């Protein structure tokens, strides 16, 4: 795998992990080289394949999404990423709130909003890679820095998805970084070992959150020194059973379903490939949601409130819940009776 050329974040200097993730004031613009599509994705795929490309990437985004802006202004302004993407894929943008009709690669007709929900788009940007046969080769949820993003492009374009899972590919191609020894940054709200998360017979009193991290991890350091330093966030994590695991370690754990294993085995079972990944489970041990991409304060706080308020019970789609909640908070108070 080839690392991408370093890019510059408008808000965070040279670090694509550091930016303000509040909703944008100005509407986001797509790159001019994105596919000018009539939203007939089956036809778009045929055209891409006829042009000798691997397939298409369907980009699910929002016009005021700060993470989408990072994808556009960092990754898609990195020359080798742009040239590699355009060589191997056509990129078709989807607005996750739009009522416009789209025909999926499998020939189904639905609105862009329904299509987004059908594919479980919980975070934007989300990218779905379709191969020449119309099969989903890879899904990315959220924003990834240039290096991981370039690796994802190569994973699909090189046909690696036909032979191995993406977490295996990432670990194999990035072995030096991912297996380097180093201390993890601990927090006072992390529970100490032994790590027994068994909730199979009796529900726990609190929901569970597991931080899968690794040593010498810049993204982990940024998480701990910035979003996790905010008192609002720290107070919310105190309402969880919060645990930190080295995703490559052989420390023993009892999973929420009661089965034994190691932290490494559990991370592999969950398909964890990005550090840090934060996985949330309810009191019965069922996974609620995970954050396995770059996360800043605003998104992290919203996810915590989503879980703690049990919003997932009435709205399984985090983005829909977040949108409804924001509208309710922004609504004027009712007139006095």
């Amino acid at each position: 795998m080839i690392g991408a050329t370093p890019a510059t974040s408008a808000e965070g200097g040279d670090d694509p992990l550091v930016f303000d993730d509040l909703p944008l004031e100005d509407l986001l613009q797509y790159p001019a080289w994105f596919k000018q599509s009539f939203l007939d994705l089956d036809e778009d795929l045929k055209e891409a394949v006829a042009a000798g490309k691997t397939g298409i990437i369907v980009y699910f985004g929002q016009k005021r999404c700060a993470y989408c802006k990072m994808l556009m202004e960092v990754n898609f302004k990195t020359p080798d990423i742009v040239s590699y993407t355009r060589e191997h894929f056509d990129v078709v943008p989807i607005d996750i709130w739009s009522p416009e009709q789209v025909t999926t690669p499998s020939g189904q007709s639905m609105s862009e909003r329904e299509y987004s929900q059908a594919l479980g788009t919980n975070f934007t940007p989300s990218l779905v890679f379709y191969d020449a046969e119309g099969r989903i080769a890879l899904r990315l949820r959220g924003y990834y820095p240039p290096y991981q993003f370039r690796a994802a492009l190569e994973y699909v374009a090189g046909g690696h998805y036909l032979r191995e899972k993406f977490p295996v590919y990432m670990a194999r191609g990035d072995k030096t970084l991912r297996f380097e020894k180093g201390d993890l940054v601990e927090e006072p709200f992390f529970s100490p070992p032994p790590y027994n998360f068994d909730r199979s017979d009796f529900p726990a009193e609190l929901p569970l959150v597991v931080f899968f991290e690794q040593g010498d991890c810049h993204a982990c350091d940024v998480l701990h020194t910035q979003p996790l330093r905010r008192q609002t966030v720290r107070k919310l994590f105190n309402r969880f059973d919060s645990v930190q695991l080295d995703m490559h370690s052989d420390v023993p754990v009892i999973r929420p379903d009661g089965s034994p294993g190691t932290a490494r085995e559990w991370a592999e079972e969950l398909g964890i490939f990005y550090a840090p990944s934060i996985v949330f489970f309810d009191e019965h041990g069922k996974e609620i949601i995970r954050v396995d991409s770059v996360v800043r304060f605003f998104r992290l706080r919203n996810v915590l409130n989503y879980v703690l308020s049990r919003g997932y019970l009435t709205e399984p789609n985090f983005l829909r819940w977040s949108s409804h909640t924001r509208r309710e908070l922004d609504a004027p108070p009712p007139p006095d009776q």
Side-chain angles (χ1 to χ4, degrees), residues 39 95-102 110-114:
L39 298 182
D95 183 333
I96 68 165
W97 303 117
S98 173
E100 294 294 322
Q101 289 296 115
V102 58
M110 61 187 75
S111 70
E112 292 180 70
R113 180 170 55 241
E114 291 169 336

Side-chain angles (χ1 to χ4, degrees), residues 191-328:
S191 298
Y195 299 122
N196 187 345
F197 312 126
D198 186 4
R199 298 170 176 223
S200 59
D201 292 328
F202 302 100
E205 293 183 2
L206 299 174
L208 171 68
V209 57
V210 182
F211 289 71
F212 287 95
E213 303 188 46
Q214 63 186 13
D216 291 335
C217 167
H218 175 58
C220 303
D221 292 341
V222 170
L223 174 69
H224 286 278
T225 58
Q226 297 190 23
L228 292 185
R229 292 273 72 80
R230 304 286 288 267
Q231 285 302 314
T232 303
V233 168
R234 297 174 77 84
K235 288 179 180 178
L236 292 173
F237 274 116
N238 284 328
R239 298 167 60 185
F240 290 85
D241 286 335
S242 300
V243 180
Q244 180 190 54
L245 296 175
D246 184 330
M247 59 192 281
H248 300 303
S249 78
D250 290 321
V251 63
V253 300
I254 303 296
R255 301 175 182 88
D257 64 4
S259 62
T262 66
R264 176 179 52 79
E265 290 169 343
W266 193 21
E268 291 174 355
E269 178 184 295
L270 291 173
I272 301 295
F273 66 90
Y274 179 80
S277 285
I278 310 171
V279 187
F280 296 84
F281 301 86
D282 68 13
E283 291 82 353
H284 297 272
K286 180 181 178 182
E287 182 177 334
I288 301 169
I289 193 171
R290 66 176 64 183
V291 182
D292 53 0
S293 54
V294 175
V295 66
R296 303 292 292 162
F297 168 71
F298 185 74
R299 175 170 289 180
L300 181 58
R301 186 190 62 182
N302 281 355
V303 170
L304 290 166
N305 284 323
Y306 175 66
V307 175
L308 289 170
S309 70
R310 299 176 183 271
Y312 56 90
L313 295 178
T314 55
E315 179 50 75
N317 185 283
F318 167 73
L319 286 174
R320 283 175 55 89
W321 175 88
S322 183
S323 177
H324 294 162
T325 302
R326 189 161 59 246
R327 286 200 299 268
E328 290 173 1

Side-chain angles (χ1 to χ4, degrees), residues 3-308:
T5 303
T8 299
S9 159
E11 292 85 356
D14 293 330
D15 193 341
L17 300 174
V18 179
F19 57 95
D20 182 354
D21 70 337
L22 286 169
L24 304 176
E25 293 184 4
D26 299 324
L27 296 181
L28 186 66
Q29 300 297 316
Y30 302 137
W33 52 268
F34 270 25
K35 174 82 172 181
Q36 298 299 309
S37 173
F38 292 105
L39 298 182
D40 291 322
L41 300 186
D42 51 347
E43 294 300 322
D44 290 335
L45 180 59
K46 291 178 183 177
E47 291 178 10
V49 174
K53 300 186 179 185
T54 302
I56 61 174
I57 300 173
V58 181
Y59 157 86
F60 295 88
Q62 305 178 78
K63 288 294 189 176
R64 298 189 186 275
C65 166
Y67 296 86
C68 303
K69 180 181 179 181
M70 291 299 291
L71 177 65
M72 302 303 166
E73 296 197 353
V74 177
N75 299 30
F76 284 151
K77 286 189 177 178
T78 301
D80 71 304
I81 287 181
V82 173
S83 61
Y84 193 87
T85 302
R86 297 184 69 180
E87 177 184 356
H88 294 282
F89 304 96
D90 283 335
V91 181
V92 182
I94 293 289
D95 183 333
I96 68 165
W97 303 117
S98 173
E100 294 294 322
Q101 289 296 115
V102 58
T103 302
T104 72
S106 63
Q108 295 177 289
S109 181
M110 61 187 75
S111 70
E112 292 180 70
R113 180 170 55 241
E114 291 169 336
Y115 182 34
S116 303
Q117 293 171 16
L119 290 184
T121 304
N122 258 329
F123 297 111
T124 53
S126 281
L127 300 176
V128 178
F129 294 71
Y130 286 94
D131 70 8
E133 304 299 323
R135 297 172 299 195
I136 294 178
L138 179 66
R139 304 184 197 211
L140 295 179
R141 296 174 299 231
Y143 171 67
Y144 294 91
Y147 178 79
Q148 285 95 345
F149 186 73
R150 173 64 189 251
L153 294 171
E154 294 177 350
Y155 172 72
V156 179
H160 301 281
Y161 70 95
L162 297 170
R163 299 183 290 274
E164 59 187 341
K165 294 183 178 180
F166 189 53
V168 176
Y169 174 78
M170 288 295 289
R172 180 174 56 79
D174 197 11
K175 186 174 293 185
T176 301
L177 173 64
R178 293 188 171 270
F179 292 93
E180 187 74 22
K181 297 294 184 182
D183 294 332
L184 305 185
V185 181
E186 298 181 356
E187 299 290 349
F189 52 79
F190 287 155
S191 298
Y195 299 122
N196 187 345
F197 312 126
D198 186 4
R199 298 170 176 223
S200 59
D201 292 328
F202 302 100
E205 293 183 2
L206 299 174
L208 171 68
V209 57
V210 182
F211 289 71
F212 287 95
E213 303 188 46
Q214 63 186 13
D216 291 335
C217 167
H218 175 58
C220 303
D221 292 341
V222 170
L223 174 69
H224 286 278
T225 58
Q226 297 190 23
L228 292 185
R229 292 273 72 80
R230 304 286 288 267
Q231 285 302 314
T232 303
V233 168
R234 297 174 77 84
K235 288 179 180 178
L236 292 173
F237 274 116
N238 284 328
R239 298 167 60 185
F240 290 85
D241 286 335
S242 300
V243 180
Q244 180 190 54
L245 296 175
D246 184 330
M247 59 192 281
H248 300 303
S249 78
D250 290 321
V251 63
V253 300
I254 303 296
R255 301 175 182 88
D257 64 4
S259 62
T262 66
R264 176 179 52 79
E265 290 169 343
W266 193 21
E268 291 174 355
E269 178 184 295
L270 291 173
I272 301 295
F273 66 90
Y274 179 80
S277 285
I278 310 171
V279 187
F280 296 84
F281 301 86
D282 68 13
E283 291 82 353
H284 297 272
K286 180 181 178 182
E287 182 177 334
I288 301 169
I289 193 171
R290 66 176 64 183
V291 182
D292 53 0
S293 54
V294 175
V295 66
R296 303 292 292 162
F297 168 71
F298 185 74
R299 175 170 289 180
L300 181 58
R301 186 190 62 182
N302 281 355
V303 170
L304 290 166
N305 284 323
Y306 175 66
V307 175
L308 289 170

